[in-house]
Tab-separated table of all heavy atoms in Angstrom:
chain	number	residue	atom	x	y	z
A	30	GLU	N	4.100	18.105	6.221
A	30	GLU	CA	5.489	18.570	6.125
A	30	GLU	C	5.903	19.290	7.387
A	30	GLU	O	7.055	19.233	7.822
A	30	GLU	CB	5.662	19.501	4.927
A	30	GLU	CG	5.792	18.732	3.611
A	30	GLU	CD	5.793	19.633	2.401
A	30	GLU	OE1	5.678	20.864	2.578
A	30	GLU	OE2	5.889	19.127	1.286
A	69	PRO	N	38.787	16.539	38.984
A	69	PRO	CA	38.464	15.742	40.176
A	69	PRO	C	37.106	15.057	40.033
A	69	PRO	O	36.232	15.535	39.306
A	69	PRO	CB	38.426	16.769	41.317
A	69	PRO	CG	39.111	17.974	40.792
A	69	PRO	CD	38.948	17.961	39.313
A	72	VAL	N	33.935	17.112	40.672
A	72	VAL	CA	33.578	18.054	39.599
A	72	VAL	C	32.922	17.297	38.446
A	72	VAL	O	31.941	17.754	37.861
A	72	VAL	CB	34.833	18.813	39.115
A	72	VAL	CG1	34.508	19.679	37.915
A	72	VAL	CG2	35.388	19.653	40.244
A	91	GLN	N	9.303	20.234	26.841
A	91	GLN	CA	8.892	19.987	25.458
A	91	GLN	C	7.910	18.826	25.312
A	91	GLN	O	7.566	18.444	24.187
A	91	GLN	CB	10.130	19.665	24.596
A	91	GLN	CG	11.116	20.798	24.490
A	91	GLN	CD	10.549	21.979	23.745
A	91	GLN	OE1	9.672	21.837	22.896
A	91	GLN	NE2	11.008	23.165	24.078
A	100	ARG	N	10.389	17.638	20.503
A	100	ARG	CA	10.021	16.769	21.617
A	100	ARG	C	10.964	15.582	21.718
A	100	ARG	O	11.413	15.213	22.794
A	100	ARG	CB	8.584	16.286	21.430
A	100	ARG	CG	8.051	15.467	22.597
A	100	ARG	CD	6.684	14.886	22.317
A	100	ARG	NE	6.706	14.024	21.179
A	100	ARG	CZ	6.152	14.304	19.993
A	100	ARG	NH1	5.498	15.423	19.813
A	100	ARG	NH2	6.229	13.462	18.983
A	114	SER	N	25.717	8.482	32.544
A	114	SER	CA	25.908	8.768	33.976
A	114	SER	C	26.188	7.488	34.748
A	114	SER	O	27.039	7.470	35.645
A	114	SER	CB	24.671	9.441	34.550
A	114	SER	OG	24.387	10.626	33.852
A	133	LEU	N	19.972	-3.269	32.360
A	133	LEU	CA	18.654	-3.543	32.959
A	133	LEU	C	18.269	-2.429	33.929
A	133	LEU	O	17.115	-1.999	33.969
A	133	LEU	CB	18.665	-4.900	33.670
A	133	LEU	CG	18.501	-6.118	32.759
A	133	LEU	CD1	18.685	-7.412	33.541
A	133	LEU	CD2	17.139	-6.118	32.068
A	139	THR	N	14.616	4.449	33.005
A	139	THR	CA	14.194	5.331	31.913
A	139	THR	C	12.851	4.940	31.285
A	139	THR	O	12.370	5.651	30.396
A	139	THR	CB	15.256	5.372	30.804
A	139	THR	OG1	15.543	4.035	30.379
A	139	THR	CG2	16.532	6.026	31.301
A	146	SER	N	7.762	9.014	24.335
A	146	SER	CA	8.193	9.154	22.948
A	146	SER	C	7.057	8.774	21.992
A	146	SER	O	6.328	7.820	22.238
A	146	SER	CB	9.404	8.246	22.707
A	146	SER	OG	9.778	8.300	21.355
A	154	LEU	N	15.373	1.409	20.700
A	154	LEU	CA	16.667	1.336	21.404
A	154	LEU	C	16.468	0.736	22.786
A	154	LEU	O	17.222	-0.145	23.219
A	154	LEU	CB	17.227	2.749	21.574
A	154	LEU	CG	18.253	3.220	20.553
A	154	LEU	CD1	18.619	4.662	20.835
A	154	LEU	CD2	19.491	2.342	20.579
A	181	THR	N	21.440	-23.785	26.210
A	181	THR	CA	20.665	-22.669	26.748
A	181	THR	C	20.542	-21.543	25.727
A	181	THR	O	19.483	-20.915	25.591
A	181	THR	CB	21.307	-22.129	28.040
A	181	THR	OG1	21.554	-23.215	28.915
A	181	THR	CG2	20.401	-21.137	28.724
A	182	THR	N	21.615	-21.308	24.988
A	182	THR	CA	21.559	-20.268	23.951
A	182	THR	C	20.524	-20.634	22.902
A	182	THR	O	19.704	-19.800	22.485
A	182	THR	CB	22.931	-20.110	23.282
A	182	THR	OG1	23.920	-19.906	24.289
A	182	THR	CG2	22.937	-18.944	22.322
A	196	LEU	N	5.076	-9.668	24.798
A	196	LEU	CA	5.206	-8.309	25.333
A	196	LEU	C	4.459	-7.309	24.454
A	196	LEU	O	3.787	-6.400	24.951
A	196	LEU	CB	6.683	-7.930	25.438
A	196	LEU	CG	7.463	-8.639	26.545
A	196	LEU	CD1	8.952	-8.395	26.420
A	196	LEU	CD2	6.975	-8.207	27.910
A	233	MET	N	20.783	-29.046	10.315
A	233	MET	CA	21.892	-29.467	9.466
A	233	MET	C	22.921	-30.290	10.210
A	233	MET	O	23.688	-31.022	9.621
A	233	MET	CB	22.587	-28.236	8.884
A	233	MET	CG	21.834	-27.599	7.766
A	233	MET	SD	22.730	-26.141	7.219
A	233	MET	CE	21.405	-25.254	6.425
A	239	LEU	N	24.532	-32.623	20.802
A	239	LEU	CA	24.158	-31.976	22.053
A	239	LEU	C	23.844	-33.055	23.075
A	239	LEU	O	23.013	-33.909	22.831
A	239	LEU	CB	22.924	-31.088	21.851
A	239	LEU	CG	23.133	-29.880	20.946
A	239	LEU	CD1	21.798	-29.202	20.667
A	239	LEU	CD2	24.068	-28.872	21.586
A	245	ASP	N	14.347	-30.415	26.566
A	245	ASP	CA	14.450	-29.241	27.436
A	245	ASP	C	14.803	-27.982	26.658
A	245	ASP	O	14.622	-26.874	27.147
A	245	ASP	CB	15.480	-29.483	28.543
A	245	ASP	CG	16.847	-29.751	27.962
A	245	ASP	OD1	16.939	-30.261	26.835
A	245	ASP	OD2	17.848	-29.437	28.643
A	274	LEU	N	-2.182	-17.760	15.465
A	274	LEU	CA	-2.063	-19.086	16.093
A	274	LEU	C	-1.450	-20.089	15.111
A	274	LEU	O	-0.686	-20.977	15.502
A	274	LEU	CB	-3.435	-19.574	16.572
A	274	LEU	CG	-3.996	-18.828	17.781
A	274	LEU	CD1	-5.422	-19.267	18.072
A	274	LEU	CD2	-3.128	-19.050	19.016
A	311	HIS	N	0.424	-12.210	7.098
A	311	HIS	CA	0.197	-11.457	8.334
A	311	HIS	C	0.688	-10.023	8.185
A	311	HIS	O	-0.008	-9.070	8.556
A	311	HIS	CB	0.940	-12.159	9.476
A	311	HIS	CG	0.758	-11.504	10.807
A	311	HIS	ND1	-0.463	-11.099	11.293
A	311	HIS	CD2	1.651	-11.174	11.769
A	311	HIS	CE1	-0.321	-10.559	12.480
A	311	HIS	NE2	0.959	-10.577	12.796
A	350	LEU	N	11.120	-26.192	-9.641
A	350	LEU	CA	10.945	-24.747	-9.455
A	350	LEU	C	9.835	-24.217	-10.346
A	350	LEU	O	9.059	-23.339	-9.949
A	350	LEU	CB	12.247	-24.026	-9.752
A	350	LEU	CG	13.321	-24.173	-8.677
A	350	LEU	CD1	14.648	-23.619	-9.159
A	350	LEU	CD2	12.915	-23.482	-7.392
A	355	GLY	N	4.828	-21.790	-10.881
A	355	GLY	CA	3.546	-21.787	-11.575
A	355	GLY	C	2.384	-21.859	-10.603
A	355	GLY	O	1.357	-21.166	-10.772
A	367	GLN	N	-10.916	-13.557	-7.288
A	367	GLN	CA	-11.936	-13.927	-6.318
A	367	GLN	C	-11.740	-13.248	-4.972
A	367	GLN	O	-12.238	-13.740	-3.952
A	367	GLN	CB	-11.912	-15.459	-6.103
A	367	GLN	CG	-12.037	-16.273	-7.373
A	367	GLN	CD	-13.416	-16.122	-7.989
A	367	GLN	OE1	-14.387	-15.889	-7.290
A	367	GLN	NE2	-13.489	-16.240	-9.301
A	377	GLY	N	-16.436	-14.346	7.445
A	377	GLY	CA	-17.521	-15.153	7.967
A	377	GLY	C	-17.017	-16.299	8.810
A	377	GLY	O	-17.590	-16.627	9.855
Side-chain angles (χ1 to χ4, degrees):
Chain A
E30 280 173 359
V72 174
Q91 296 294 333
R100 185 186 60 251
S114 302
L133 280 174
T139 54
S146 176
L154 263 176
T181 310
T182 307
L196 288 170
M233 284 178 201
L239 294 172
D245 60 332
L274 289 173
H311 182 47
L350 286 171
Q367 306 292 331

